[in-house]
Amino acid sequence: MSFSVEPIAPLEAARLFIDKISKPARILVAVSGGSDSTGLLIALHRVLTDTGSRDISLQAVTIDHALRGGSADEARGVAELCARHGIVHHIRRWDGDKPATGISAAARLARYALIGEVAAEIGADVIAIGHTHGDQRETIAMRSARSQRHDNLGLAGMADAVLYAGRHWIVRPFLVSTRQDIRDFLREKGQSWFDDPTNNDAKYERVRVRIRHSEPQRTLIDQSINRSMLSAAAAHWIEKQAESHLDCLIKIKPAGLQSDTAIVRYALSALASVIGGRRFAMAADSMDRVMAFLSKGEPGRITASRAVFELRKDALYLMRETRDIPSLAVAAGATALWDERFEITNRSTRTLLIGGKHARMAVDLPASIPKSVAKRVMQITPTIEVEGNEGSAAEAGEVDIRPLLVPYDLFLPRFDLELANVIARLIGRSAYPQPPV
């Protein structure tokens, strides 16, 4: 299902956001100096000034990526703008070596990490960024070009809110406002902005898409309800059909596999990503193979994206494959990630060795779990020994093991919040925080 709505003027979008946000609130606005983020800052400041709100405060942050000449000057320009409006402003610079390839993705990760640091320092309740209606259309166009499948989840576009690093909600108040309306709003206020030359560089995919779809669009296509509803249904399915053992084995009731195919597919894809320690959902063709295997209803096993799906008469068992289980040394007092599935904190005064392809660990599983499944679980559960004294296990209290949900721990779209929380409860993790708006 999709539906169309008319875009909302920037000032009205800002008012709606301020009306809905949980109060009191401290908002951190990410401002690059471009028209979209500048318009967001000015609109939010205007609304707060007009309403005289005392329970909402506004600060801004600018990230200097240090990728081109003039970026530092633009950051200082934003600082001057904020000073004129009495808005506290922070500048952070992305220092260090830059990758030769994948610079856009690396810059994005660095940007959010630096913004997150500022948000933590000031105790921000929410981070606001200036993505617009045009950005949404471009995102959907890019994802559509990559896959013509009718079940392409990318067609949902960007979520209006995303949880970063499990603690900072990033919101997009202008996702229903057009860039042209934002620029008209700024011109009315006599406010200029900086034009980033990379926004016109056709070597970037988004710019090429923007050029191909240059005709102004006054209608928004909102397809997010598809993914939100599907994800919620998958969450309910997991609650009813799944149980977890040792945070690394999922058992699915056979009756659950007879449910709606789209729901089963979405749920199993999410579970497989968590169990396999994969940051991204399984490729569509891989899930096609898994679903085709399950549809036969015949006992057997299939592996996809580091996850093993073993179908037996009593249940479907889902676990990490036993190949390439890593070894890891964790120094005294250090915290490390193991196999993208567990966070290990060494609270002892000795170096601890985690895992290893020859490691085995006696596991405490119900007698109903098949012996061959239990044997594989022995190989994928984190084993802990003292370095230099192999065979000597760490004592109680010397190590903390925290299961990870790598598909959600860095970026969790609002679409999947309920689903992520169901899986978190399933494997013994605390719930993710609710968005403030």
Side-chain angles (χ1 to χ4, degrees):
M1 180 189 305
S2 63
F3 57 91
S4 300
V5 297
E6 286 301 311
I8 299 175
L11 199 58
E12 180 60 22
R15 286 196 181 99
L16 289 173
F17 172 70
I18 293 299
D19 286 345
K20 292 179 180 178
I21 194 169
S22 299
K23 303 171 181 64
R26 178 168 293 171
I27 304 170
L28 178 64
V29 186
V31 186
S32 66
S35 60
D36 302 340
S37 58
T38 300
L40 178 60
L41 179 70
I42 297 300
L44 290 174
H45 180 261
R46 171 66 183 274
V47 170
L48 292 176
T49 300
D50 289 349
T51 59
S53 177
R54 296 178 178 272
D55 52 3
I56 300 178
S57 63
L58 195 66
Q59 297 192 30
V61 59
T62 301
I63 306 302
D64 176 8
H65 295 87
L67 292 173
R68 56 182 175 79
S71 62
D73 291 335
E74 292 171 10
R76 285 191 290 270
V78 176
E80 293 170 0
L81 166 66
C82 290
R84 291 196 298 272
H85 289 83
I87 301 170
V88 176
H89 180 256
H90 311 264
I91 295 177
R92 293 293 184 272
R93 179 184 170 93
W94 183 25
D95 291 318
D97 296 334
K98 309 297 192 295
T101 59
I103 188 65
S104 294
R108 176 175 179 264
L109 291 176
R111 176 167 62 255
Y112 282 120
L114 292 169
I115 292 172
E117 288 178 6
V118 174
E121 290 172 8
I122 69 172
D125 297 289
V126 68
I127 299 166
I129 59 177
H131 287 145
T132 68
H133 150 242
D135 294 318
Q136 182 71 296
R137 280 194 173 274
E138 291 161 10
T139 296
I140 293 173
M142 289 189 295
R143 293 175 179 176
S144 177
R146 293 171 194 154
S147 172
Q148 299 299 316
R149 297 174 62 109
H150 72 279
D151 58 354
N152 178 4
L153 297 176
L155 297 180
M158 295 182 286
D160 65 333
V162 176
L163 183 65
Y164 172 70
R167 62 184 300 194
H168 302 298
W169 276 102
I170 299 170
V171 297
R172 299 176 167 117
F174 274 2
L175 210 54
V176 291
S177 298
T178 69
R179 179 164 294 124
Q180 186 59 55
D181 286 347
I182 294 167
R183 292 185 171 186
D184 289 345
F185 165 72
L186 288 174
R187 290 188 183 100
E188 290 174 5
K189 303 302 176 188
Q191 177 61 55
S192 60
W193 61 85
F194 297 105
D195 285 317
D196 184 343
T198 62
N199 287 334
N200 297 312
D201 190 338
K203 73 178 182 181
Y204 297 107
E205 180 188 17
R206 184 172 290 275
V207 175
R208 296 194 298 272
V209 169
R210 187 175 302 144
I211 293 171
R212 289 199 300 270
H213 298 80
S214 58
E215 188 69 23
Q217 298 284 343
R218 297 296 302 177
T219 302
L220 303 181
I221 300 177
D222 183 352
Q223 294 176 293
S224 63
I225 189 171
N226 282 339
R227 184 166 171 185
S228 296
M229 292 178 65
L230 182 58
S231 185
H236 180 71
W237 184 88
I238 290 173
E239 282 185 313
K240 297 294 185 182
Q241 307 297 340
E243 61 183 60
S244 173
H245 300 279
L246 301 177
D247 304 333
C248 58
L249 173 66
I250 302 293
K251 181 179 179 180
I252 306 293
K253 299 175 184 177
L257 300 177
Q258 306 306 313
S259 302
D260 182 275
T261 300
I263 295 172
V264 175
R265 181 187 180 104
Y266 199 99
L268 290 181
S269 177
L271 289 170
S273 295
V274 171
I275 288 297
R278 292 301 198 192
R279 192 171 301 280
F280 301 105
M282 194 180 300
D285 57 348
S286 295
M287 276 306 303
D288 287 344
R289 291 194 300 108
V290 171
M291 296 304 293
F293 161 73
L294 295 176
S295 69
K296 296 177 181 178
E298 299 173 359
R301 185 166 64 245
I302 187 172
T303 301
S305 192
R306 294 211 318 180
V308 175
F309 297 79
E310 180 162 333
L311 184 61
R312 290 174 170 261
K313 290 183 178 180
D314 68 306
L316 170 67
Y317 294 92
L318 181 57
M319 69 207 90
R320 200 293 204 191
E321 66 175 324
T322 57
R323 186 166 57 92
D324 298 328
I325 299 295
S327 299
L328 177 69
V330 184
T335 295
L337 303 183
W338 181 74
D339 199 37
E340 295 294 320
R341 294 185 295 133
F342 294 94
E343 180 185 82
I344 311 292
T345 299
N346 181 359
R347 300 193 181 282
S348 76
T349 58
R350 305 169 292 179
T351 297
L352 299 179
L353 301 179
I354 315 298
K357 63 181 181 180
H358 300 300
R360 296 291 186 273
M361 178 180 179
V363 293
D364 184 16
L365 291 170
S368 60
I369 302 296
K371 290 183 178 179
S372 61
V373 172
K375 183 178 179 180
R376 281 192 291 277
V377 173
M378 289 172 59
Q379 301 175 56
I380 62 176
T381 302
T383 59
I384 304 171
E385 297 178 333
V386 178
E387 186 180 50
N389 191 13
E390 282 71 10
S392 175
E395 298 178 3
E398 286 191 322
V399 60
D400 289 337
I401 302 177
R402 177 175 177 263
L404 302 176
L405 282 76
V406 291
Y408 309 120
D409 282 344
L410 187 59
F411 293 107
L412 169 55
R414 192 203 295 259
F415 300 137
D416 287 331
L417 177 59
E418 182 180 354
L419 175 64
N421 277 335
V422 166
I423 298 176
R425 290 193 296 270
L426 185 68
I427 68 170
R429 271 276 301 273
S430 58
Y432 293 99
Q434 294 294 314
V437 62

